[in-house]
Amino acid sequence: MCGIALIVSGIRIDLSPSTLFQSPNPEPLVTVSVDDLKAALRRRGPDSLGSKKVILQYNKNLNSVEDRELVCEVIEDAEIENDQSYLQNCSNGKAGNYNQLGNIGELQFIGATLQLRGLNPIIQPFVDSYGNVLIYNGEIFGGIHVESDRNDGEVLMQTLANCCSCGSNGHTGPCSVAGHGCNSVPNVFSTIKGPWAIIYWQESSRTLWFGRDAFGRRSLVVHWPTVKDSRFLLSSVSPFSSVYQSSDFEVENGTHHNFWEELSCGIYSLSMDASKLHGYLAGEVKKHEWGNAMLSELIKWERVSFNPKPDELHGSLNETLEGQRHRHPASSDIVTFESGPDQTMVSLPAHNVLSALRKSVILRASQYRIFEAVRCYSRQEEHVPVAVLFSGGLDSMILSALLDECLDPSYGIDLLNVSFDGQSAPDRISAKAGVKELRRIAPLRRWKLVEIDSDLSKLTLEMKHVMSLINPANTYMDLNIGVALWLAASGDGWVSERPGNNSDEDQQRLRYKSEARIVLVGSGADEQCAGYGRHRTKYRCGGWHGLNEEMKLDVQRIWKRNMGRDDRCIADNGKEARFPFLDEDVIKVLLDIPLWEVTNLDQPSGTGDKKILREVARMLGLHEAAVLPKRAIQVCVTLSCFYLSQLCIPEPWIGWIL
């Protein structure tokens, strides 16, 4: 996980209708400084922090406006101790040849790194010999080959350096290097399998490229230029000052204008064209199409089949692998799964989902992808490289069992569980039951249930901080979920250990802080497998078509409602969130399965909802978890009332909000 930010100043930016955000409400008076951004980003990337500036000017001595040419220079941030005096010297001709150049524009790149890959330490921003600049927050799990000892950011920089200028605003005509092994920047971005947010300066085309992956698994917020603040800003997270200076936290009702907004998923460019300057540095923002056909299909989220015929529905609900084996005796893909003394008979689609999920977890937990040079352990058996946000529910149980299969047996696994109500919280009860089942199927693994208890009376000191993390989200539900995620990802809690072989009653509760830098999260499972209560309501009212449309809406808006917020809250602890259920191949496998094989909402909760994942759980030997009903992330009404009282919300409003 990394933190990245960009500050563009001194450039008049033309926003196309597809990118321009217009609000009828007055914008807040907010001042965001470089130091504010660096402080917020450093929490996400504790290993290194760097900054570079690209200085842009044009030659004002040329006679024709059309002949004017941009002059660019990459400068170390430390070389400019005082921005104001530097700009003044440039305008007065006291900074080298700058007296022959016109108005100055500046792009400042800031990168903070949590390094998890590569043998050698790296510092962002990446700068190559051509003058290209890259800041990158993501993981390449496929699409671009990355050797086991390489850092994927460095590999991405080398790949982008070979790109042509096609796709930039100033490019016209066909690609001049087509067929010569070159690629365009949008195509490279589209090729990446995995989460990413990228900001890249392409020197050859004088173009700034930026964007985030198709499902928004990495946060990137934007401030478009306004009258009060003409800068163009991008950042992984909103600094604390953005919330501190703005108006009180309020219910999202359409009347609030935020300084920041979530950048919509996609690929964007900001091109500077010297021939159109007319005395100013100017740029135009453009949004580009994805260059990957499979990715475009996943974004459309068109399921292969969602409206069953009566005989198809009856057959799918009753057919097992044994029945399929009778109909297709030559098929080598049909297997019977052993789980303890029992044989588990499941559908072939569930087998395909399990295979895709297992591959997804392997990619996200492979040890060669975890950077160890900055960390030393006296004993390897103490090392816990990967943790799971753990409620003991179906999704986190599946991820934990798969992680056990994929992770070296010498490592422990931390199960991070947060409670606002001590040992009596539903999530704490289910978590304790869940870890017992995991110990039953994997007795040799060192499982640690990290019990993170929160005292409501102490949360007031952290409230503003979490509000800055969830920003631009601004509902109380976002705040509740954000606090739960932020506390859980901290890994700071208690573990219970049994001295010797004593019983559970003799357990000792010891203070413990998880050092795992990677956290697996079950986001995306409910959206894709109909796990929410509203899915059952839609099915009752609109049948299979209504259910399919609701699930499609959930997946297509997950970037705005969930992913940015969740990424920011988890990453603030110096941890990287990884989402196995949102792997591109997992999404494709689920879309290729008829909807009635994925869920059956005619059956009661705990049976038909997320039906296919319950089959996966049984294949993993998780028979108790396979029948657990869906329960939302730990959110407490007492917690909500406490927050609202601290914000001086009148008591009649509290009941309406909750």
Side-chain angles (χ1 to χ4, degrees), residues 494-523:
W494 302 82
V495 295
S496 298
E497 295 185 355
R498 293 190 297 269
N501 293 320
N502 295 337
S503 64
D504 292 345
E505 286 74 16
D506 297 324
Q507 287 183 353
Q508 296 178 348
R509 207 161 182 252
L510 306 175
R511 194 74 186 176
Y512 178 80
K513 183 174 177 61
S514 175
E515 298 296 329
R517 294 183 129 199
I518 295 172
V519 180
L520 299 187
V521 187
S523 302

PDB file of all heavy atoms in Angstrom, residues 494-523:
ATOM      1  N   TRP A 494      -6.043  -7.868  22.068  1.00  0.00           N
ATOM      2  CA  TRP A 494      -5.709  -8.899  23.050  1.00  0.00           C
ATOM      3  C   TRP A 494      -5.817 -10.275  22.393  1.00  0.00           C
ATOM      4  O   TRP A 494      -6.635 -10.494  21.502  1.00  0.00           O
ATOM      5  CB  TRP A 494      -6.661  -8.850  24.244  1.00  0.00           C
ATOM      6  CG  TRP A 494      -6.668  -7.528  24.957  1.00  0.00           C
ATOM      7  CD1 TRP A 494      -7.356  -6.404  24.603  1.00  0.00           C
ATOM      8  CD2 TRP A 494      -5.935  -7.193  26.138  1.00  0.00           C
ATOM      9  NE1 TRP A 494      -7.113  -5.388  25.486  1.00  0.00           N
ATOM     10  CE2 TRP A 494      -6.246  -5.836  26.448  1.00  0.00           C
ATOM     11  CE3 TRP A 494      -5.060  -7.895  26.975  1.00  0.00           C
ATOM     12  CZ2 TRP A 494      -5.701  -5.193  27.544  1.00  0.00           C
ATOM     13  CZ3 TRP A 494      -4.521  -7.241  28.075  1.00  0.00           C
ATOM     14  CH2 TRP A 494      -4.832  -5.910  28.348  1.00  0.00           C
ATOM     15  N   VAL A 495      -4.973 -11.189  22.849  1.00  0.00           N
ATOM     16  CA  VAL A 495      -5.084 -12.587  22.435  1.00  0.00           C
ATOM     17  C   VAL A 495      -5.174 -13.444  23.692  1.00  0.00           C
ATOM     18  O   VAL A 495      -4.621 -13.103  24.743  1.00  0.00           O
ATOM     19  CB  VAL A 495      -3.884 -13.040  21.576  1.00  0.00           C
ATOM     20  CG1 VAL A 495      -3.865 -12.287  20.259  1.00  0.00           C
ATOM     21  CG2 VAL A 495      -2.565 -12.856  22.321  1.00  0.00           C
ATOM     22  N   SER A 496      -5.898 -14.534  23.591  1.00  0.00           N
ATOM     23  CA  SER A 496      -6.046 -15.468  24.706  1.00  0.00           C
ATOM     24  C   SER A 496      -5.187 -16.687  24.438  1.00  0.00           C
ATOM     25  O   SER A 496      -5.266 -17.294  23.356  1.00  0.00           O
ATOM     26  CB  SER A 496      -7.519 -15.888  24.862  1.00  0.00           C
ATOM     27  OG  SER A 496      -8.318 -14.766  25.163  1.00  0.00           O
ATOM     28  N   GLU A 497      -4.361 -17.030  25.390  1.00  0.00           N
ATOM     29  CA  GLU A 497      -3.478 -18.180  25.252  1.00  0.00           C
ATOM     30  C   GLU A 497      -3.680 -19.130  26.418  1.00  0.00           C
ATOM     31  O   GLU A 497      -3.880 -18.705  27.558  1.00  0.00           O
ATOM     32  CB  GLU A 497      -2.016 -17.737  25.178  1.00  0.00           C
ATOM     33  CG  GLU A 497      -1.692 -16.902  23.940  1.00  0.00           C
ATOM     34  CD  GLU A 497      -0.211 -16.595  23.836  1.00  0.00           C
ATOM     35  OE1 GLU A 497       0.534 -16.957  24.776  1.00  0.00           O
ATOM     36  OE2 GLU A 497       0.200 -15.998  22.819  1.00  0.00           O
ATOM     37  N   ARG A 498      -3.600 -20.419  26.095  1.00  0.00           N
ATOM     38  CA  ARG A 498      -3.743 -21.453  27.120  1.00  0.00           C
ATOM     39  C   ARG A 498      -2.360 -21.899  27.574  1.00  0.00           C
ATOM     40  O   ARG A 498      -1.555 -22.363  26.756  1.00  0.00           O
ATOM     41  CB  ARG A 498      -4.513 -22.662  26.575  1.00  0.00           C
ATOM     42  CG  ARG A 498      -5.951 -22.385  26.250  1.00  0.00           C
ATOM     43  CD  ARG A 498      -6.705 -23.680  25.943  1.00  0.00           C
ATOM     44  NE  ARG A 498      -6.171 -24.341  24.771  1.00  0.00           N
ATOM     45  CZ  ARG A 498      -6.621 -24.128  23.533  1.00  0.00           C
ATOM     46  NH1 ARG A 498      -7.619 -23.281  23.333  1.00  0.00           N
ATOM     47  NH2 ARG A 498      -6.092 -24.762  22.515  1.00  0.00           N
ATOM     48  N   PRO A 499      -2.037 -21.789  28.864  1.00  0.00           N
ATOM     49  CA  PRO A 499      -0.748 -22.305  29.347  1.00  0.00           C
ATOM     50  C   PRO A 499      -0.746 -23.826  29.302  1.00  0.00           C
ATOM     51  O   PRO A 499      -1.611 -24.480  29.863  1.00  0.00           O
ATOM     52  CB  PRO A 499      -0.672 -21.777  30.783  1.00  0.00           C
ATOM     53  CG  PRO A 499      -2.086 -21.527  31.187  1.00  0.00           C
ATOM     54  CD  PRO A 499      -2.835 -21.177  29.936  1.00  0.00           C
ATOM     55  N   GLY A 500       0.224 -24.390  28.571  1.00  0.00           N
ATOM     56  CA  GLY A 500       0.275 -25.852  28.477  1.00  0.00           C
ATOM     57  C   GLY A 500      -0.911 -26.376  27.704  1.00  0.00           C
ATOM     58  O   GLY A 500      -1.293 -25.865  26.662  1.00  0.00           O
ATOM     59  N   ASN A 501      -1.529 -27.415  28.219  1.00  0.00           N
ATOM     60  CA  ASN A 501      -2.702 -28.038  27.589  1.00  0.00           C
ATOM     61  C   ASN A 501      -3.956 -27.821  28.423  1.00  0.00           C
ATOM     62  O   ASN A 501      -4.844 -28.667  28.463  1.00  0.00           O
ATOM     63  CB  ASN A 501      -2.466 -29.544  27.380  1.00  0.00           C
ATOM     64  CG  ASN A 501      -1.376 -29.812  26.366  1.00  0.00           C
ATOM     65  OD1 ASN A 501      -1.293 -29.128  25.360  1.00  0.00           O
ATOM     66  ND2 ASN A 501      -0.530 -30.792  26.649  1.00  0.00           N
ATOM     67  N   ASN A 502      -3.997 -26.702  29.090  1.00  0.00           N
ATOM     68  CA  ASN A 502      -5.142 -26.445  29.961  1.00  0.00           C
ATOM     69  C   ASN A 502      -6.387 -26.145  29.142  1.00  0.00           C
ATOM     70  O   ASN A 502      -6.332 -25.868  27.949  1.00  0.00           O
ATOM     71  CB  ASN A 502      -4.831 -25.276  30.907  1.00  0.00           C
ATOM     72  CG  ASN A 502      -3.702 -25.627  31.873  1.00  0.00           C
ATOM     73  OD1 ASN A 502      -3.449 -26.799  32.136  1.00  0.00           O
ATOM     74  ND2 ASN A 502      -3.020 -24.604  32.370  1.00  0.00           N
ATOM     75  N   SER A 503      -7.526 -26.160  29.796  1.00  0.00           N
ATOM     76  CA  SER A 503      -8.803 -25.925  29.131  1.00  0.00           C
ATOM     77  C   SER A 503      -8.991 -24.449  28.849  1.00  0.00           C
ATOM     78  O   SER A 503      -8.211 -23.598  29.266  1.00  0.00           O
ATOM     79  CB  SER A 503      -9.945 -26.433  30.027  1.00  0.00           C
ATOM     80  OG  SER A 503      -9.978 -25.680  31.229  1.00  0.00           O
ATOM     81  N   ASP A 504     -10.081 -24.163  28.111  1.00  0.00           N
ATOM     82  CA  ASP A 504     -10.375 -22.781  27.752  1.00  0.00           C
ATOM     83  C   ASP A 504     -10.582 -21.893  28.969  1.00  0.00           C
ATOM     84  O   ASP A 504     -10.336 -20.688  28.924  1.00  0.00           O
ATOM     85  CB  ASP A 504     -11.622 -22.729  26.866  1.00  0.00           C
ATOM     86  CG  ASP A 504     -11.368 -23.344  25.495  1.00  0.00           C
ATOM     87  OD1 ASP A 504     -10.181 -23.538  25.165  1.00  0.00           O
ATOM     88  OD2 ASP A 504     -12.349 -23.615  24.780  1.00  0.00           O
ATOM     89  N   GLU A 505     -11.034 -22.477  30.072  1.00  0.00           N
ATOM     90  CA  GLU A 505     -11.309 -21.680  31.265  1.00  0.00           C
ATOM     91  C   GLU A 505     -10.033 -21.097  31.863  1.00  0.00           C
ATOM     92  O   GLU A 505     -10.068 -20.121  32.607  1.00  0.00           O
ATOM     93  CB  GLU A 505     -12.009 -22.535  32.322  1.00  0.00           C
ATOM     94  CG  GLU A 505     -13.477 -22.838  32.010  1.00  0.00           C
ATOM     95  CD  GLU A 505     -13.632 -23.880  30.906  1.00  0.00           C
ATOM     96  OE1 GLU A 505     -12.637 -24.581  30.613  1.00  0.00           O
ATOM     97  OE2 GLU A 505     -14.731 -23.994  30.343  1.00  0.00           O
ATOM     98  N   ASP A 506      -8.876 -21.694  31.539  1.00  0.00           N
ATOM     99  CA  ASP A 506      -7.609 -21.234  32.123  1.00  0.00           C
ATOM    100  C   ASP A 506      -6.844 -20.302  31.185  1.00  0.00           C
ATOM    101  O   ASP A 506      -5.665 -20.051  31.392  1.00  0.00           O
ATOM    102  CB  ASP A 506      -6.725 -22.442  32.456  1.00  0.00           C
ATOM    103  CG  ASP A 506      -7.361 -23.340  33.502  1.00  0.00           C
ATOM    104  OD1 ASP A 506      -8.023 -22.798  34.406  1.00  0.00           O
ATOM    105  OD2 ASP A 506      -7.214 -24.570  33.396  1.00  0.00           O
ATOM    106  N   GLN A 507      -7.515 -19.789  30.170  1.00  0.00           N
ATOM    107  CA  GLN A 507      -6.826 -18.935  29.199  1.00  0.00           C
ATOM    108  C   GLN A 507      -6.369 -17.633  29.848  1.00  0.00           C
ATOM    109  O   GLN A 507      -7.054 -17.063  30.694  1.00  0.00           O
ATOM    110  CB  GLN A 507      -7.744 -18.621  28.019  1.00  0.00           C
ATOM    111  CG  GLN A 507      -7.956 -19.793  27.086  1.00  0.00           C
ATOM    112  CD  GLN A 507      -8.806 -19.408  25.887  1.00  0.00           C
ATOM    113  OE1 GLN A 507      -9.341 -18.305  25.828  1.00  0.00           O
ATOM    114  NE2 GLN A 507      -8.919 -20.304  24.931  1.00  0.00           N
ATOM    115  N   GLN A 508      -5.207 -17.178  29.404  1.00  0.00           N
ATOM    116  CA  GLN A 508      -4.680 -15.887  29.828  1.00  0.00           C
ATOM    117  C   GLN A 508      -4.848 -14.892  28.687  1.00  0.00           C
ATOM    118  O   GLN A 508      -4.561 -15.205  27.532  1.00  0.00           O
ATOM    119  CB  GLN A 508      -3.200 -15.998  30.189  1.00  0.00           C
ATOM    120  CG  GLN A 508      -2.927 -16.894  31.381  1.00  0.00           C
ATOM    121  CD  GLN A 508      -1.452 -17.005  31.667  1.00  0.00           C
ATOM    122  OE1 GLN A 508      -0.616 -16.609  30.857  1.00  0.00           O
ATOM    123  NE2 GLN A 508      -1.114 -17.527  32.834  1.00  0.00           N
ATOM    124  N   ARG A 509      -5.321 -13.709  29.017  1.00  0.00           N
ATOM    125  CA  ARG A 509      -5.529 -12.672  27.995  1.00  0.00           C
ATOM    126  C   ARG A 509      -4.325 -11.736  28.008  1.00  0.00           C
ATOM    127  O   ARG A 509      -4.044 -11.063  29.001  1.00  0.00           O
ATOM    128  CB  ARG A 509      -6.826 -11.918  28.296  1.00  0.00           C
ATOM    129  CG  ARG A 509      -7.493 -11.321  27.061  1.00  0.00           C
ATOM    130  CD  ARG A 509      -8.957 -11.011  27.339  1.00  0.00           C
ATOM    131  NE  ARG A 509      -9.618 -10.480  26.145  1.00  0.00           N
ATOM    132  CZ  ARG A 509      -9.994  -9.210  25.996  1.00  0.00           C
ATOM    133  NH1 ARG A 509      -9.794  -8.347  26.985  1.00  0.00           N
ATOM    134  NH2 ARG A 509     -10.590  -8.817  24.888  1.00  0.00           N
ATOM    135  N   LEU A 510      -3.597 -11.703  26.873  1.00  0.00           N
ATOM    136  CA  LEU A 510      -2.357 -10.952  26.784  1.00  0.00           C
ATOM    137  C   LEU A 510      -2.480  -9.848  25.737  1.00  0.00           C
ATOM    138  O   LEU A 510      -3.144 -10.016  24.714  1.00  0.00           O
ATOM    139  CB  LEU A 510      -1.194 -11.878  26.407  1.00  0.00           C
ATOM    140  CG  LEU A 510      -0.987 -13.115  27.299  1.00  0.00           C
ATOM    141  CD1 LEU A 510       0.112 -13.989  26.719  1.00  0.00           C
ATOM    142  CD2 LEU A 510      -0.663 -12.692  28.721  1.00  0.00           C
ATOM    143  N   ARG A 511      -1.796  -8.741  26.011  1.00  0.00           N
ATOM    144  CA  ARG A 511      -1.787  -7.641  25.053  1.00  0.00           C
ATOM    145  C   ARG A 511      -1.020  -8.065  23.807  1.00  0.00           C
ATOM    146  O   ARG A 511       0.014  -8.732  23.892  1.00  0.00           O
ATOM    147  CB  ARG A 511      -1.128  -6.414  25.678  1.00  0.00           C
ATOM    148  CG  ARG A 511      -1.362  -5.127  24.901  1.00  0.00           C
ATOM    149  CD  ARG A 511      -2.768  -4.639  25.074  1.00  0.00           C
ATOM    150  NE  ARG A 511      -3.063  -3.485  24.217  1.00  0.00           N
ATOM    151  CZ  ARG A 511      -4.235  -2.919  24.127  1.00  0.00           C
ATOM    152  NH1 ARG A 511      -5.244  -3.402  24.842  1.00  0.00           N
ATOM    153  NH2 ARG A 511      -4.433  -1.892  23.346  1.00  0.00           N
ATOM    154  N   TYR A 512      -1.524  -7.650  22.624  1.00  0.00           N
ATOM    155  CA  TYR A 512      -0.901  -8.090  21.379  1.00  0.00           C
ATOM    156  C   TYR A 512      -1.215  -7.078  20.282  1.00  0.00           C
ATOM    157  O   TYR A 512      -2.312  -6.529  20.223  1.00  0.00           O
ATOM    158  CB  TYR A 512      -1.447  -9.469  20.974  1.00  0.00           C
ATOM    159  CG  TYR A 512      -0.902 -10.016  19.672  1.00  0.00           C
ATOM    160  CD1 TYR A 512       0.339 -10.629  19.608  1.00  0.00           C
ATOM    161  CD2 TYR A 512      -1.648  -9.915  18.504  1.00  0.00           C
ATOM    162  CE1 TYR A 512       0.833 -11.136  18.416  1.00  0.00           C
ATOM    163  CE2 TYR A 512      -1.165 -10.420  17.297  1.00  0.00           C
ATOM    164  CZ  TYR A 512       0.077 -11.028  17.266  1.00  0.00           C
ATOM    165  OH  TYR A 512       0.561 -11.533  16.084  1.00  0.00           O
ATOM    166  N   LYS A 513      -0.235  -6.841  19.424  1.00  0.00           N
ATOM    167  CA  LYS A 513      -0.441  -5.973  18.257  1.00  0.00           C
ATOM    168  C   LYS A 513       0.046  -6.719  17.022  1.00  0.00           C
ATOM    169  O   LYS A 513       1.215  -7.090  16.930  1.00  0.00           O
ATOM    170  CB  LYS A 513       0.294  -4.648  18.393  1.00  0.00           C
ATOM    171  CG  LYS A 513       0.048  -3.695  17.217  1.00  0.00           C
ATOM    172  CD  LYS A 513       0.686  -2.343  17.461  1.00  0.00           C
ATOM    173  CE  LYS A 513       0.517  -1.402  16.265  1.00  0.00           C
ATOM    174  NZ  LYS A 513      -0.893  -1.115  15.962  1.00  0.00           N
ATOM    175  N   SER A 514      -0.843  -6.937  16.085  1.00  0.00           N
ATOM    176  CA  SER A 514      -0.487  -7.648  14.861  1.00  0.00           C
ATOM    177  C   SER A 514       0.460  -6.805  14.013  1.00  0.00           C
ATOM    178  O   SER A 514       0.232  -5.616  13.802  1.00  0.00           O
ATOM    179  CB  SER A 514      -1.747  -7.977  14.051  1.00  0.00           C
ATOM    180  OG  SER A 514      -1.406  -8.560  12.811  1.00  0.00           O
ATOM    181  N   GLU A 515       1.521  -7.440  13.534  1.00  0.00           N
ATOM    182  CA  GLU A 515       2.481  -6.765  12.673  1.00  0.00           C
ATOM    183  C   GLU A 515       2.253  -7.087  11.203  1.00  0.00           C
ATOM    184  O   GLU A 515       3.050  -6.695  10.345  1.00  0.00           O
ATOM    185  CB  GLU A 515       3.914  -7.164  13.076  1.00  0.00           C
ATOM    186  CG  GLU A 515       4.299  -6.756  14.488  1.00  0.00           C
ATOM    187  CD  GLU A 515       4.305  -5.242  14.666  1.00  0.00           C
ATOM    188  OE1 GLU A 515       4.598  -4.531  13.676  1.00  0.00           O
ATOM    189  OE2 GLU A 515       4.009  -4.774  15.774  1.00  0.00           O
ATOM    190  N   ALA A 516       1.199  -7.835  10.895  1.00  0.00           N
ATOM    191  CA  ALA A 516       0.915  -8.179   9.502  1.00  0.00           C
ATOM    192  C   ALA A 516       0.704  -6.910   8.687  1.00  0.00           C
ATOM    193  O   ALA A 516      -0.047  -6.021   9.084  1.00  0.00           O
ATOM    194  CB  ALA A 516      -0.315  -9.073   9.430  1.00  0.00           C
ATOM    195  N   ARG A 517       1.354  -6.857   7.536  1.00  0.00           N
ATOM    196  CA  ARG A 517       1.240  -5.685   6.679  1.00  0.00           C
ATOM    197  C   ARG A 517       0.196  -5.878   5.581  1.00  0.00           C
ATOM    198  O   ARG A 517      -0.139  -4.930   4.878  1.00  0.00           O
ATOM    199  CB  ARG A 517       2.594  -5.366   6.048  1.00  0.00           C
ATOM    200  CG  ARG A 517       3.645  -4.940   7.062  1.00  0.00           C
ATOM    201  CD  ARG A 517       4.938  -4.563   6.366  1.00  0.00           C
ATOM    202  NE  ARG A 517       5.391  -3.262   6.824  1.00  0.00           N
ATOM    203  CZ  ARG A 517       6.263  -2.491   6.181  1.00  0.00           C
ATOM    204  NH1 ARG A 517       6.763  -2.909   5.030  1.00  0.00           N
ATOM    205  NH2 ARG A 517       6.634  -1.329   6.661  1.00  0.00           N
ATOM    206  N   ILE A 518      -0.280  -7.072   5.416  1.00  0.00           N
ATOM    207  CA  ILE A 518      -1.300  -7.373   4.421  1.00  0.00           C
ATOM    208  C   ILE A 518      -2.542  -7.869   5.149  1.00  0.00           C
ATOM    209  O   ILE A 518      -2.449  -8.729   6.033  1.00  0.00           O
ATOM    210  CB  ILE A 518      -0.808  -8.442   3.428  1.00  0.00           C
ATOM    211  CG1 ILE A 518       0.376  -7.909   2.606  1.00  0.00           C
ATOM    212  CG2 ILE A 518      -1.936  -8.888   2.497  1.00  0.00           C
ATOM    213  CD1 ILE A 518       1.037  -8.955   1.748  1.00  0.00           C
ATOM    214  N   VAL A 519      -3.687  -7.329   4.770  1.00  0.00           N
ATOM    215  CA  VAL A 519      -4.948  -7.704   5.410  1.00  0.00           C
ATOM    216  C   VAL A 519      -5.926  -8.134   4.323  1.00  0.00           C
ATOM    217  O   VAL A 519      -6.236  -7.361   3.406  1.00  0.00           O
ATOM    218  CB  VAL A 519      -5.539  -6.522   6.215  1.00  0.00           C
ATOM    219  CG1 VAL A 519      -6.844  -6.940   6.874  1.00  0.00           C
ATOM    220  CG2 VAL A 519      -4.552  -6.042   7.269  1.00  0.00           C
ATOM    221  N   LEU A 520      -6.411  -9.367   4.423  1.00  0.00           N
ATOM    222  CA  LEU A 520      -7.422  -9.851   3.491  1.00  0.00           C
ATOM    223  C   LEU A 520      -8.802  -9.413   3.973  1.00  0.00           C
ATOM    224  O   LEU A 520      -9.124  -9.528   5.157  1.00  0.00           O
ATOM    225  CB  LEU A 520      -7.376 -11.375   3.374  1.00  0.00           C
ATOM    226  CG  LEU A 520      -6.077 -11.999   2.849  1.00  0.00           C
ATOM    227  CD1 LEU A 520      -6.269 -13.492   2.630  1.00  0.00           C
ATOM    228  CD2 LEU A 520      -5.602 -11.325   1.571  1.00  0.00           C
ATOM    229  N   VAL A 521      -9.605  -8.925   3.034  1.00  0.00           N
ATOM    230  CA  VAL A 521     -10.928  -8.381   3.350  1.00  0.00           C
ATOM    231  C   VAL A 521     -11.948  -9.025   2.407  1.00  0.00           C
ATOM    232  O   VAL A 521     -11.666  -9.254   1.228  1.00  0.00           O
ATOM    233  CB  VAL A 521     -10.947  -6.841   3.191  1.00  0.00           C
ATOM    234  CG1 VAL A 521     -12.265  -6.265   3.694  1.00  0.00           C
ATOM    235  CG2 VAL A 521      -9.768  -6.207   3.939  1.00  0.00           C
ATOM    236  N   GLY A 522     -13.142  -9.302   2.924  1.00  0.00           N
ATOM    237  CA  GLY A 522     -14.157 -10.013   2.154  1.00  0.00           C
ATOM    238  C   GLY A 522     -15.055  -9.139   1.304  1.00  0.00           C
ATOM    239  O   GLY A 522     -16.113  -9.598   0.851  1.00  0.00           O
ATOM    240  N   SER A 523     -14.649  -7.902   1.046  1.00  0.00           N
ATOM    241  CA  SER A 523     -15.482  -6.994   0.242  1.00  0.00           C
ATOM    242  C   SER A 523     -15.783  -7.604  -1.118  1.00  0.00           C
ATOM    243  O   SER A 523     -14.914  -8.208  -1.749  1.00  0.00           O
ATOM    244  CB  SER A 523     -14.775  -5.654   0.053  1.00  0.00           C
ATOM    245  OG  SER A 523     -14.487  -5.055   1.287  1.00  0.00           O
TER     246      SER A 523
END
